[in-house]
Amino acid sequence: MTKATQTVSVSFRLLKLDMMQAYTFKKEINGASFYKLDNENIFVGTVPLNDDLFDELNDFVIRQQIQYDDCDIYVESTVSAASTGIEVPRVVNRMLKYIDCKLSYGIASYQH
């Protein structure tokens, strides 16, 4: 019998930053990074989600007047074929109490 394994990572994303907001995000939030969307002047800011960043992220969203529809919590998982589900870390639920944003998922599977 194959043991089911999974890895899960969670990040907070700001989906529609302009260039100045993207650089400010990277400078002000520890561990933050950003990338430019192809053929657009829109940047996506991303940072691994942890409890220590809640206040900083909330303050950034308010200061930069970012709409909650323009951010998400991205849960990415790699699971074995034997896995029957994904265990989402509690940090996701706690973050949703600060910022009411959508959840997005990325799932990749691998065979043993």
Side-chain angles (χ1 to χ4, degrees):
M1 179 175 210
T2 304
K3 182 180 176 187
T5 59
Q6 68 173 328
T7 59
V8 178
S9 63
V10 181
S11 56
F12 182 78
R13 300 188 307 181
L14 299 168
L15 305 171
K16 294 182 180 177
L17 300 176
D18 62 32
M19 186 184 300
M20 287 301 289
Q21 288 173 318
Y23 280 101
T24 302
F25 181 65
K26 184 176 178 179
K27 181 180 177 186
E28 291 184 2
I29 306 295
N30 189 31
S33 61
F34 65 88
Y35 59 91
K36 183 178 181 186
L37 292 180
D38 293 339
N39 300 321
E40 298 184 41
N41 282 330
I42 297 174
F43 296 81
V44 175
T46 183
V47 64
L49 187 60
N50 65 59
D51 293 314
D52 297 338
L53 294 177
F54 288 3
D55 290 330
E56 292 177 57
L57 288 170
N58 193 43
D59 291 347
F60 184 85
V61 167
I62 292 168
R63 257 192 334 276
Q64 296 293 324
Q65 299 179 349
I66 296 170
Q67 300 299 310
Y68 289 144
D69 289 342
D70 295 337
C71 63
D72 73 358
I73 297 173
Y74 183 64
V75 179
E76 187 173 29
S77 179
T78 303
V79 296
S80 68
S83 181
T84 59
I86 298 170
E87 292 181 27
V88 177
R90 288 184 193 263
V91 69
V92 171
N93 187 44
R94 288 192 298 265
M95 182 61 176
L96 289 171
K97 293 175 183 176
Y98 275 73
I99 298 176
D100 184 19
C101 58
K102 61 189 167 201
L103 296 173
S104 298
Y105 297 90
I107 302 169
S109 63
Y110 62 91
Q111 301 288 328
H112 268 307

